[in-house]
């Protein structure tokens, strides 16, 4: 295990000179708040030695220079909505909290972009864009609480990724503080660029290990005037999952295709205090279609209905706000059953999503834990929420490991990977190193070491030093 220096009184005083005494927190009660994220994985939680709240990029850079001088690790943190322990300070040190940097600096309607600081809530970006008849297409399910900096760090996905891509596809440029404290401006508001390395995309999705994103220029797109959401209800898992490849082949170009198994249908409905069709036995596919032409929308909806019927849908109804409320409350609803859980974030080629869900659901029946399955099915990203329930801690760990020993090789056999949108963080570190090509890992470590020789920026995430 790599050794770092502790946060001394000298370090505390240096940090206070940078951000002010008010924004350097050392109280035990405060530090305890920042030991965890939303992962429900207490075995990974670690408390920081100090929490620092910078107000601007220059203060972030100054903090990084202090950290380098004293060999103290730094963990950047947005809203803490990660479920992979990405913002947990694995080695203690400094938690750098970005929430004060919360300004929207510019909305350019003609150029269709927005310039924001890292601490802006994603939903505020979405709402402001919508007020201008534009759309910011990044749409993680935690958009009402997560911050854009965290979205950028993890390359967050979400409900609209099928059509518009993940967070990295919504970005023109970023301002980033490198591990040595230097400030870099990467990218530009251009449709294309072949000028040197694509460094902005290297930083995006690196989970705060290569730099701290402090500002971003986000792409906006025209807001589609015509939209309809459809709920296709199935009473057979195989039929529900087989729908997805058919939608892709049909060329409908849906904005989202979401899948919920019946465990999630019932738990999220109860949590939301709602009753939707086939509560007792239904598997849900939620499909969103957007167009700029009413006739085109009608044509696509007819084709969609026909495909759902051919695949064996029991009911096909409009998905109103109640359906989306149930969908948004899925993960939160499982806490009623267990305070300890782990969320898998597997991703496979879209053509393999049906096989993967069916195979792993069947495999999960060999274990005593409880499994709920959710998927951004249109882009091949599936989530298994595995609940400890009545198992002892030791038996829970043993059975989860046994399931992963079957599930992960199977996913890689299909051409998939460990994470589609949540990132590796601390929680999946050992699996990243076990299942990733050693040559690929070596390239990543070479880049990390070149930018961060002391490995002080978010250490213990994505990969460990050799």
């Amino acid at each position: 295990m790599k050794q770092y220096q502790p946060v001394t009184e000298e370090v505390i005083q240096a940090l206070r000179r940078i951000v002010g005494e008010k924004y350097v927190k050392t109280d035990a009660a405060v530090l305890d708040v920042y030991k965890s994220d939303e992962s429900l994985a207490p075995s990974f939680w670690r408390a920081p030695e100090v929490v620092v709240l910078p107000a601007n990029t220059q203060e972030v850079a100054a903090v990084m220079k202090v950290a380098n001088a004293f060999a103290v690790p730094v963990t950047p943190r947005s809203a803490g909505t990660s479920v992979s322990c990405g913002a947990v300070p694995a080695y203690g040190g400094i938690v750098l909290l970005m929430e004060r940097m919360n300004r929207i600096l510019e909305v350019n309607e003609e150029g269709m972009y927005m310039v924001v600081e890292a601490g802006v809530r994603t939903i505020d970006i979405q709402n402001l864009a919508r007020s201008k008849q534009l759309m910011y297409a990044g749409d993680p399910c935690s958009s009402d609480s997560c911050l854009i900096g965290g979205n950028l760090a993890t390359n967050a996905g979400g409900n609209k990724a099928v059509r518009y891509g993940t967070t990295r596809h919504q970005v023109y440029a970023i301002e980033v503080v490198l591990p040595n404290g230097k400030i870099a401006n990467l990218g530009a508001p251009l449709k294309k660029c072949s000028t040197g390395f694509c460094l902005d995309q290297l930083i995006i999705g690196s989970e705060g290990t290569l730099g701290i994103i402090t500002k971003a220029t986000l792409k906006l797109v025209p807001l589609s005037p015509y939209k309809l959401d459809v709920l296709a209800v199935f009473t057979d898992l195989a039929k529900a999952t087989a729908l997805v490849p058919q939608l892709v082949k049909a060329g409908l170009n849906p904005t989202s295709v979401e899948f919920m198994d019946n465990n999630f249908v019932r738990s999220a409905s109860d949590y939301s205090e709602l009753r939707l069709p086939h509560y007792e036995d239904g598997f849900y596919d939620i499909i969103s279609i957007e167009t700029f032409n009413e006739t085109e929308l009608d044509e696509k909806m007819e084709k969609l209905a026909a495909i759902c019927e051919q695949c064996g849908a029991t009911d096909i109804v409009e998905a109103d706000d109640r359906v989306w409320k149930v969908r948004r409350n899925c993960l939160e609803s499982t806490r009623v059953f267990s305070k300890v859980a782990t969320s898998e974030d597997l991703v496979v080629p879209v053509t393999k999503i049906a096989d993967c869900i069916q195979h792993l659901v069947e495999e999960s029946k060999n274990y005593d834990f409880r499994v709920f399955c959710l998927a951004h099915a249109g882009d091949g990203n599936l989530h298994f929420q595995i609940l400890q329930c009545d198992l002892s801690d030791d038996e829970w760990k043993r059975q989860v490991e046994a399931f992963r020993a079957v599930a992960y090789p199977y996913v890689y056999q299909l051409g998939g990977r460990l994470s589609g949108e949540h990132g590796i963080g601390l929680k999946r570190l050992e699996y990243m190193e076990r299942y990733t090509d050693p040559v690929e890992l070596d390239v990543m470590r070479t880049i990390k070491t070149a930018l961060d020789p002391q490995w002080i920026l978010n250490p213990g995430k994505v990969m460990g030093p050799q």
Side-chain angles (χ1 to χ4, degrees), residues 281-296:
D281 60 356
F283 298 86
Y284 286 3
D285 285 321
I286 311 169
I287 307 104
S288 297
I289 302 288
E290 297 177 339
T291 70
F292 288 88
N293 180 286
E294 188 172 9
T295 301
E296 180 187 3

Side-chain angles (χ1 to χ4, degrees), residues 98-116:
M98 304 298 288
E99 63 184 32
R100 289 180 67 204
M101 300 176 62
N102 58 4
R103 295 179 299 164
I104 296 177
L105 301 173
E106 180 186 359
V107 180
N108 190 310
E109 296 179 56
E110 183 177 355
M112 291 197 297
Y113 65 81
M114 186 184 302
V115 183
V116 302

Side-chain angles (χ1 to χ4, degrees), residues 17-300:
R17 286 193 292 272
I18 294 169
V19 303
E21 185 171 353
K22 179 180 178 181
Y23 299 109
V24 177
K25 312 291 186 180
T26 58
D27 294 347
V30 174
L31 300 182
D32 189 65
V33 171
Y34 297 103
K35 70 181 181 183
S36 63
D37 57 8
E38 295 294 325
S39 65
L40 300 182
S43 61
F44 291 102
W45 295 351
R46 307 284 188 276
E49 296 164 77
V50 61
V51 175
V52 180
L53 291 83
N56 53 54
T57 302
Q58 288 69 34
E59 290 185 359
V60 173
V63 169
M64 289 309 304
K65 290 176 181 177
V66 168
N68 270 281
F70 290 91
V72 173
V74 177
T75 303
R77 182 182 177 104
S78 289
T81 58
S82 166
V83 292
S84 60
C85 299
V88 171
Y91 294 88
I94 300 168
V95 159
L96 196 66
L97 194 58
M98 304 298 288
E99 63 184 32
R100 289 180 67 204
M101 300 176 62
N102 58 4
R103 295 179 299 164
I104 296 177
L105 301 173
E106 180 186 359
V107 180
N108 190 310
E109 296 179 56
E110 183 177 355
M112 291 197 297
Y113 65 81
M114 186 184 302
V115 183
V116 302
E117 291 183 324
V120 178
R121 283 196 312 162
T122 307
I123 195 169
D124 293 333
I125 295 169
Q126 294 171 328
N127 289 341
L128 181 56
R130 193 174 295 113
S131 73
K132 308 292 184 182
Q133 294 302 302
L134 297 169
M135 180 176 71
Y136 171 66
D139 191 28
C141 291
S142 58
S143 61
D144 59 344
S145 56
C146 64
L147 306 183
I148 190 64
N151 295 175
L152 293 162
T154 58
N155 185 33
N159 297 330
K160 295 185 173 69
V162 180
R163 181 170 182 176
Y164 296 103
T166 57
T167 298
R168 69 168 68 254
H169 301 107
Q170 322 305 329
V171 183
Y172 277 127
I174 57 172
E175 177 185 77
V176 58
V177 174
L178 299 174
N180 59 10
K182 292 183 178 180
I183 301 170
N185 288 282
L186 308 175
L190 304 170
K191 284 292 184 181
K192 61 179 181 179
C193 180
S194 296
T195 308
F197 297 161
C198 195
L199 296 178
D200 53 323
Q201 292 298 317
L202 175 64
I203 300 296
I204 296 168
S206 67
E207 301 186 37
T209 62
L210 301 181
I212 303 169
I213 297 171
T214 54
K215 187 188 303 180
T217 302
L218 305 175
K219 299 177 184 178
L220 305 177
V221 296
L223 188 65
S224 301
Y226 300 99
K227 180 178 184 291
L228 192 62
D229 299 331
V230 168
L231 172 62
V233 182
F234 296 80
T235 55
D236 181 272
L237 173 62
K239 292 178 180 179
T241 54
L243 174 67
V244 178
Q246 299 304 316
L247 295 177
V248 174
K249 291 178 184 177
L252 291 174
N253 193 23
T255 301
S256 62
V257 183
E258 299 291 297
F259 167 80
M260 296 167 56
D261 76 354
N262 186 248
N263 282 335
F264 266 127
V265 169
R266 287 184 282 113
S267 69
S269 295
D270 291 344
Y271 185 86
S272 305
E273 298 181 344
L274 293 168
R275 280 294 183 274
L276 299 176
H278 288 272
Y279 165 89
E280 291 83 5
D281 60 356
F283 298 86
Y284 286 3
D285 285 321
I286 311 169
I287 307 104
S288 297
I289 302 288
E290 297 177 339
T291 70
F292 288 88
N293 180 286
E294 188 172 9
T295 301
E296 180 187 3
L297 181 64
D298 291 340
E299 291 172 351
K300 286 189 172 182

